[in-house]
């Protein structure tokens, strides 16, 4: 079971998936799963993450931190109650659903949940 309120996934925008994958595999020995032409996930042995194709790489000051949630609908409301803004509504992807939001200062985060079996 995944724990709520802990960093559960890190997503890194990159401009070249193949080059970044080759570099991280060689440097760290990470394992990758390809999910099409624009996304791949990785595991560093402890934490899961993803590389997403983007027009610009992540700035040196940040990447997307993804937290786990057992109830996305509850947390959409909670984010808004606390003064955050939903930057991308709930959407599905293979194995789960998630949404993106910004805190009142404008920093973007995401919450995700597994698909019930």
């Amino acid at each position: 079971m995944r724990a709520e309120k802990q960093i559960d996934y890190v997503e890194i925008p990159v401009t070249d998936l193949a080059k970044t994958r080759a570099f991280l595999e060689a440097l760290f020995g990470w394992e990758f799963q390809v999910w099409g032409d624009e996304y791949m996930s990785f595991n560093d042995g402890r934490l899961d993450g993803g590389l997403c194709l983007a027009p610009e790489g992540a700035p040196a000051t940040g990447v997307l931190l993804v937290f786990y949630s057992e109830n996305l609908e509850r947390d959409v409301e909670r984010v808004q109650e606390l003064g955050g803004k939903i930057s991308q509504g709930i959407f599905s992807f293979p194995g789960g659903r998630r949404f993106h939001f910004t805190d009142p200062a404008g920093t973007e985060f995401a919450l995700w949940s597994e698909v019930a079996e």
Side-chain angles (χ1 to χ4, degrees):
M1 177 179 236
R2 295 181 183 269
E4 284 199 303
K5 302 177 186 170
Q6 293 182 358
I7 296 171
D8 187 69
Y9 196 86
V10 177
E11 191 167 274
I12 305 167
V14 300
T15 58
D16 189 314
L17 287 171
K19 285 183 182 177
T20 302
R21 176 185 182 168
F23 176 79
L24 295 173
E25 279 178 329
L27 184 62
F28 299 128
W30 290 357
E31 296 179 9
F32 289 84
Q33 170 69 48
V34 176
W35 299 100
D37 295 335
E38 297 183 359
Y39 200 88
M40 64 179 63
S41 56
F42 65 83
N43 181 280
D44 71 358
R46 182 187 62 84
L47 182 69
D48 292 320
L51 303 177
C52 61
L53 188 60
E56 296 180 18
T61 57
V63 297
L64 180 65
L65 294 179
V66 182
F67 297 85
Y68 184 75
S69 169
E70 292 180 359
N71 186 326
L72 292 181
E73 287 75 13
R74 172 199 67 200
D75 290 332
V76 164
E77 289 181 24
R78 189 81 174 118
V79 163
Q80 294 169 329
E81 288 170 3
L82 294 170
K85 292 187 171 43
I86 304 304
S87 54
Q88 188 170 2
I90 295 173
F91 64 94
S92 296
F93 61 90
R97 301 181 317 139
R98 80 180 198 196
F99 72 94
H100 293 215
F101 63 96
T102 58
D103 68 13
T107 304
E108 187 170 36
F109 299 96
L111 277 159
W112 88 282
S113 184
E114 294 172 295
V115 174
E117 294 186 22

